């Protein structure tokens, strides 16, 4: 079933001769034509995130001629982004992501308007940012923002073009409570904190966001010009390794907390508290707190005093392929997934320092050992990233 944004008026804009030439391959398609291209020019789309998904979204929507594009992001371009965030480049490392993306898409299409919001998308600013736009596209990588985007869209009666990626797998759908289910209908509650690793911890196949992001862009354009069957009421699942696409039908939850006839959520809430996790993926200084942390400087001093890793054990809970990238001399590799089975290799009377990439997985390891009765344990705050940045710059940061 074709669903369109009926309020977009193609007669409110005109196409110049230059624009007619630019969009000629659209204009000769009867499904688009002059009317559809004018709708694109009259439309406005807000992108939450200018990273992996936001990169193809921003570039293809600009190239298609969407008249106004809003970019929301709080981050700066880092070298580790460039493997997948193709809207940015080496020349923009250190630059605000919204400005880097704006510069790139205006180079693609200088005839469009680009508004930037260099900030976290939060309950305090979400309504003000989202209200002027016809479509909201979720290109985020954390659960608090996904629930926030959903609730904003439901309360403002706007379509939410959803996408998510992890390692080799991706998902896409269109959540529009006026015509079908919302994100909360599918996921009423977030997963327990720490259960689902972030892309920074688990990785993402570089071309995967290109696939999912262009699908999201396709869905947005279809909504604007009113052609084709929307993903409303369907969740598309993509597996890059198997090169398969599957579709799962979704139903509206009659008891949904936000989009049911009698909703319990009628205003925005504290989404970080609701999900038990932050609205960002910055992993540099994660620790366990409450006296369970050890800093990289303290570990460095401990190693120097003992002339190496003696009188205590340094346990690296990352995966073997990460160990091959970089590891701290004297550490022992026991991946987190095997720690429970190999706990008999550890002596609870001996001091143990746990370490991973950022402190997140070693924090989980610490909780596991605490539950088993270990008390002389510490979590290396910031992990090997902090170690490389502050103690041993000869190690690569990944």
């Amino acid at each position: 079933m074709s669903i369109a944004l009926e309020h977009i008026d193609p007669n409110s804009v005109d196409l110049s001769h230059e624009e007619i030439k630019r969009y000629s391959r659209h204009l000769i398609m009867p499904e688009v034509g002059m009317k559809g291209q004018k709708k694109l020019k009259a439309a406005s789309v807000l992108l939450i995130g200018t990273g992996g998904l936001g990169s193809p979204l921003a570039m293809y929507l600009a190239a298609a001629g969407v008249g106004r594009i809003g970019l929301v992001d709080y981050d700066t371009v880092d070298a580790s982004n460039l493997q997948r965030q193709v809207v940015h480049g080496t020349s923009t490392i250190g630059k605000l992501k919204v400005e880097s993306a704006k510069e790139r898409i205006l180079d693609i299409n200088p005839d469009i308007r680009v508004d930037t919001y260099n900030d976290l998308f939060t309950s305090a600013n979400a309504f003000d940012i989202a209200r002027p736009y016809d479509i909201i596209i979720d290109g985020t990588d954390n659960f608090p923002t996904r629930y926030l985007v959903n609730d904003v869209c439901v309360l403002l009666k706007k379509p939410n073009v959803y996408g998510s990626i992890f390692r080799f797998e991706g998902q896409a759908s269109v959540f529009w409570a006026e015509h079908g289910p919302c994100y909360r209908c599918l996921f009423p509650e977030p997963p327990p904190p720490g259960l689902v690793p972030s892309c920074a911890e688990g990785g993402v196949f570089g071309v995967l966001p290109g696939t999912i992001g262009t699908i999201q862009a396709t869905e947005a354009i279809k909504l604007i010009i009113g052609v084709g069957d929307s993903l409303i009421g369907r969740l598309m699942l993509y597996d890059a390794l198997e090169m398969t696409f599957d579709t799962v039908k979704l139903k509206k939850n009659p008891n949904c907390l936000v989009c049911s006839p009698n909703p319990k959520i009628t205003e925005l809430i504290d989404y970080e508290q609701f999900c038990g996790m932050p609205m960002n993926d910055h992993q540099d200084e994660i620790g366990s707190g409450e006296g369970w942390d050890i800093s990289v400087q303290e570990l460095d001093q401990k190693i120097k005093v003992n002339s190496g890793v003696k009188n205590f054990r340094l346990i690296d809970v990352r995966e073997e392929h990460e160990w091959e990238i970089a590891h701290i001399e004297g550490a022992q590799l026991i991946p987190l997934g095997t720690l429970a089975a190999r706990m008999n290799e550890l002596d609870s009377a001996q001091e143990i320092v746990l370490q991973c990439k950022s402190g997140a997985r070693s924090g989980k390891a610490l909780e596991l050992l605490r539950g088993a009765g270990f008390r002389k344990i510490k979590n290396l705050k910031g992990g090997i990233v902090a170690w490389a940045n502050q103690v041993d710059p000869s190690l690569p940061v990944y």
Side-chain angles (χ1 to χ4, degrees):
M1 181 176 63
S2 177
I3 297 177
L5 291 159
E6 300 294 344
H7 66 277
I8 297 177
D9 181 10
N11 297 317
S12 64
V13 296
D14 290 310
L15 298 181
S16 68
H17 288 184
E18 290 78 12
E19 287 174 310
I20 289 174
K21 183 176 181 180
R22 175 182 288 269
Y23 306 124
S24 61
R25 299 303 187 272
H26 267 176
L27 299 178
I28 59 177
M29 298 172 63
E31 295 84 356
V32 183
M34 285 290 287
K35 182 179 180 181
Q37 194 62 51
K38 285 184 176 182
K39 280 189 172 184
L40 287 170
K41 184 174 182 178
S44 57
V45 176
L46 180 68
L47 306 183
I48 312 298
T50 57
L53 294 173
S55 290
L57 277 163
M59 291 193 292
Y60 274 102
L61 292 176
V66 172
R68 180 184 180 189
I69 297 176
L71 305 173
V72 184
D73 209 312
Y74 64 93
D75 211 351
T76 56
V77 180
D78 183 79
S80 64
N81 302 145
L82 303 184
Q83 161 256 13
R84 66 201 177 281
Q85 299 181 16
V86 294
V87 77
H88 311 297
T90 303
S91 64
T92 62
I93 289 176
K95 194 170 185 176
L96 293 175
K97 281 189 175 179
V98 290
E99 294 302 324
S100 171
K102 179 179 180 178
E103 180 180 311
R104 177 72 181 98
I105 62 179
L106 285 177
D107 183 51
I108 292 173
N109 191 346
D111 296 324
I112 65 172
R113 170 180 170 181
V114 180
D115 296 318
T116 59
Y117 307 89
N118 178 41
D119 206 346
L120 276 170
F121 192 66
T122 68
S123 297
N125 61 20
F127 278 144
D128 289 338
I129 294 175
R131 190 172 281 110
Y133 294 89
D134 300 311
I135 297 175
I136 314 299
I137 303 187
D138 184 355
T140 62
D141 58 2
N142 65 85
F143 288 101
T145 311
R146 286 176 188 164
Y147 280 95
L148 169 60
V149 171
N150 177 78
D151 294 356
V152 166
C153 289
V154 172
L155 296 174
L156 292 180
K157 300 182 177 181
K158 297 180 184 290
N160 167 19
V161 181
Y162 161 80
S164 69
I165 52 175
F166 182 67
R167 291 186 173 170
F168 292 94
E169 299 178 350
Q171 302 178 353
S173 188
V174 176
F175 298 113
W176 195 359
E178 303 302 297
H179 299 279
C182 77
Y183 181 78
R184 282 186 185 268
C185 292
L186 180 61
F187 302 110
E189 297 288 337
L195 179 64
V196 180
S198 68
C199 290
E201 287 289 335
V204 60
F205 191 42
V207 298
L208 177 65
T211 304
I212 300 302
T214 50
I215 288 171
Q216 289 178 277
T218 301
E219 288 300 297
I221 291 171
K222 285 161 56 182
L223 288 175
I224 293 169
I225 61 180
V227 298
D229 292 330
S230 170
L231 279 176
I232 293 173
R234 295 184 292 155
L235 179 68
M236 190 216 71
L237 307 172
Y238 172 62
D239 185 327
L241 283 182
E242 299 297 328
M243 194 48 70
T244 57
F245 288 88
D246 295 301
T247 304
V248 178
K249 289 187 177 180
L250 307 176
K251 291 185 178 180
K252 201 172 181 70
N253 181 357
N255 300 311
C256 179
L257 293 177
V258 69
C259 78
S260 66
N262 299 298
K264 293 184 179 180
I265 296 176
T266 57
E267 59 185 24
L268 302 182
I269 62 174
D270 185 334
Y271 293 88
E272 291 188 325
Q273 182 181 51
F274 171 66
C275 296
M277 60 188 76
M279 284 179 140
N280 63 70
D281 63 351
H282 285 177
Q283 301 277 333
D284 290 346
E285 293 293 336
I286 294 177
S288 298
E290 299 180 356
W292 295 100
D293 289 334
I294 183 172
S295 70
V296 292
Q297 290 82 9
E298 289 171 326
L299 177 61
D300 183 38
Q301 185 62 26
K302 182 182 290 290
I303 290 173
K304 289 176 179 176
V305 168
N306 290 284
S307 300
V309 181
K310 300 176 182 177
N311 303 323
F312 75 99
R313 294 181 71 178
L314 176 59
I315 305 298
D316 188 330
V317 299
R318 298 174 302 151
E319 299 298 315
E320 186 173 354
H321 59 271
E322 294 178 273
W323 172 275
E324 293 174 357
I325 299 171
H327 57 269
I328 300 174
E329 186 176 352
Q332 177 186 354
L333 180 66
I334 303 181
L336 179 60
T338 69
L339 182 59
R342 297 177 61 182
M343 207 176 293
N344 62 312
E345 299 177 23
L346 304 177
D347 183 355
S348 61
Q350 186 177 24
E351 186 177 359
I352 297 171
V353 176
L354 300 160
Q355 167 254 311
C356 67
K357 177 185 177 183
S358 66
R361 280 172 287 175
S362 51
K364 297 175 190 175
L366 185 140
E367 291 303 316
L368 179 63
L369 294 182
R370 281 179 63 184
F374 286 77
R375 289 296 178 266
K376 298 175 69 174
I377 49 178
K378 294 287 186 180
N379 179 18
L380 182 62
K381 187 174 182 180
I384 197 169
V385 171
W387 180 266
N389 285 331
Q390 301 175 40
V391 176
D392 185 1
S394 69
L395 293 181
V397 175
Y398 67 100

